[in-house]
Amino acid sequence: PDIVVLSAGAHVRLLPDFSFLIDRVVDEHRTLFPEVKLIWQTQPGVGCAPEPLEAPPDETFWARQRNRYNWPLFAAFDAIARTRFGHPQAASENRFILDISPLALRADAHPGSRGDIANDCLHSCLPGPLDTLIPRTLLHLLLHAL
């Protein structure tokens, strides 16, 4: 393929494991497929609220949530990914980042926001944020001539 889009996080439990995963992806890409354009997608927005959020969820927000998942780590995961995919050196090696973290502000689009599915603050409803993701991704790819 000419372009590969990857992401991980919802099922990675610890920061060291995520760092290892990112480093492995970068090393494998550099070694095995340097000609392939690799795009790392940041974590989808996570947070349940009856209205859109004005700022990404913080520690106070997470303290009120009842879940067994690693959602509070998503911002840290994205920061790690940005260090490996979001800089000029990475671009020169065919690695790019697609930052969809602003979708965290669309907390109203999660099923858990309306009580449809208790505590589901990861998946998005359709129509919703994902309707904008595909056209935005395509536009980004076309404008930046990936």
Side-chain angles (χ1 to χ4, degrees), residues 4 33 59 87 93 116 128 135 141:
V4 173
F33 306 103
E59 290 179 22
H87 57 82
E93 296 178 0
D116 296 351
L141 293 174

Side-chain angles (χ1 to χ4, degrees), residues 46-99:
V46 176
C48 290
E51 301 293 330
L53 301 174
E54 293 183 20
D58 60 12
E59 290 179 22
T60 304
F61 175 88
W62 291 118
R64 293 190 312 260
Q65 301 300 309
R66 292 177 297 137
N67 70 65
R68 64 182 188 277
Y69 303 104
N70 63 346
W71 302 330
L73 295 177
F74 280 11
F77 288 171
D78 289 347
I80 292 167
R82 284 184 195 99
T83 65
R84 299 307 301 266
F85 288 87
H87 57 82
Q89 170 77 24
S92 72
E93 296 178 0
N94 276 336
R95 290 191 319 274
F96 307 89
I97 194 155
L98 176 63
D99 190 352

Side-chain angles (χ1 to χ4, degrees), residues 113-126:
S113 298
R114 296 188 315 275
D116 296 351
I117 301 173
N119 296 321
D120 185 350
C121 299
L122 175 62
H123 299 95
S124 294
C125 301
L126 292 174

Side-chain angles (χ1 to χ4, degrees), residues 10-23:
H11 301 284
V12 178
R13 298 285 183 203
L14 303 171
L15 284 174
D17 293 342
F18 189 82
S19 292
F20 175 80
L21 172 72
I22 290 286
D23 290 343

